[in-house]
Amino acid sequence: VQLQASGGGLVQAGGSLTLSCVASGPTFSAYAWFRQAPGKEREFVAASTWRGEKKEYADSVKGRFAIGRDNRDNTMYLRMNSLKAEDTAVYYCATRADWALRSNDYTYWGQGTLVTVSS
């Protein structure tokens, strides 16, 4: 499985951005987004089952971010609204066979895409 993340960039606080992650190869039951800010550990952002019946968000992004998938192809996305300076980080998509929220449990990772929110 290969994951290709894209969509990062520079945005002003309060703005919106959508990250995409294209998966090639077999698909699995769960996918997620994580992020890593400079000098900090990688942290969980959002996760979803492949069919979308179960979703989970970090408290810091609830109500602002939405995880989903394009049913037409193997593209996962993370829609981010009301962005804050503290959302600045490299964002990674990941997938695995079973439901999990910890980064150490995920097997396949995208290369990361940088999101910078200016205040």
Side-chain angles (χ1 to χ4, degrees), residues 1-4 21 32-35 42 92-95 102-112:
V1 176
Q2 290 187 333
L3 303 177
Q4 182 71 35
C21 180
W33 289 89
F34 295 83
R35 67 186 180 186
R42 189 172 297 187
Y92 299 89
C93 55
T95 188
R102 300 186 308 169
S103 61
N104 289 344
D105 292 330
Y106 275 79
T107 308
Y108 302 98
W109 290 85
Q111 83 286 6

Side-chain angles (χ1 to χ4, degrees), residues 7-117:
L10 175 63
V11 62
Q12 288 188 335
S16 300
L17 209 58
T18 297
L19 306 181
S20 298
C21 180
V22 179
S24 58
T27 56
F28 294 93
S29 298
Y31 62 98
W33 289 89
F34 295 83
R35 67 186 180 186
Q36 187 166 17
K40 295 187 177 181
E41 293 185 352
R42 189 172 297 187
E43 66 175 2
F44 168 76
V45 176
S48 175
T49 53
W50 191 250
R51 296 180 179 180
E53 70 271 22
K54 183 176 181 179
K55 297 183 180 182
E56 187 75 30
Y57 295 92
D59 288 342
S60 59
V61 306
K62 278 181 182 177
R64 301 188 298 122
F65 290 12
I67 188 172
R69 185 176 66 86
D70 191 328
N71 290 327
R72 295 171 295 180
D73 55 29
N74 290 343
T75 299
M76 303 166 278
Y77 61 81
L78 182 70
R79 293 191 175 126
M80 306 183 294
N81 297 317
S82 302
L83 283 162
K84 305 175 181 179
E86 50 264 43
D87 294 320
T88 295
V90 177
Y91 284 71
Y92 299 89
C93 55
T95 188
R96 57 165 279 145
D98 302 310
W99 179 256
L101 300 181
R102 300 186 308 169
S103 61
N104 289 344
D105 292 330
Y106 275 79
T107 308
Y108 302 98
W109 290 85
Q111 83 286 6
T113 184
L114 176 62
V115 173
T116 303
V117 184

